[in-house]
Amino acid sequence: MTVLYVAARFDRSFFFRIADGLAVAMAVALPWSTSATGICIILWLVALLPTLDGAAIRREVTGEWQSGRFAPGFANRSPTR
């Protein structure tokens, strides 16, 4: 019964809430302590890792997204002479 409770407790929404709380703690600690801020950043990264979608990261790294998705916005920003 304890195993089921632990497995149900560690879902993505749990880690989202933990990461949000650590982000707030990081913002609160920022003006007073650099070491506490660093510790909060490390804990936030550890809590954020289980929330990431591995397939989406793999697509982003390998470039399987549509490459022309942002191109129209940058095409109009060329300098004119």
Side-chain angles (χ1 to χ4, degrees), residues 27-71:
V28 169
L30 189 61
W32 291 291
S33 173
T34 55
S35 59
T37 303
I39 292 168
C40 286
I41 289 172
I42 291 170
L43 291 174
W44 174 74
L45 287 172
V46 169
L48 190 67
L49 285 176
T51 66
L52 299 176
D53 183 21
I57 294 172
R58 200 169 16 267
R59 280 193 307 267
E60 185 71 30
V61 170
T62 59
E64 292 180 18
W65 291 103
Q66 298 174 358
S67 60
R69 183 169 56 176
F70 297 109

Side-chain angles (χ1 to χ4, degrees), residues 3-36:
V3 174
L4 292 176
Y5 176 73
V6 170
R9 176 94 177 170
F10 289 108
D11 58 340
R12 277 192 169 172
S13 64
F14 172 73
F15 285 109
F16 277 126
R17 287 191 307 269
I18 294 294
D20 287 345
L22 287 169
V24 170
M26 181 179 17
V28 169
L30 189 61
W32 291 291
S33 173
T34 55
S35 59

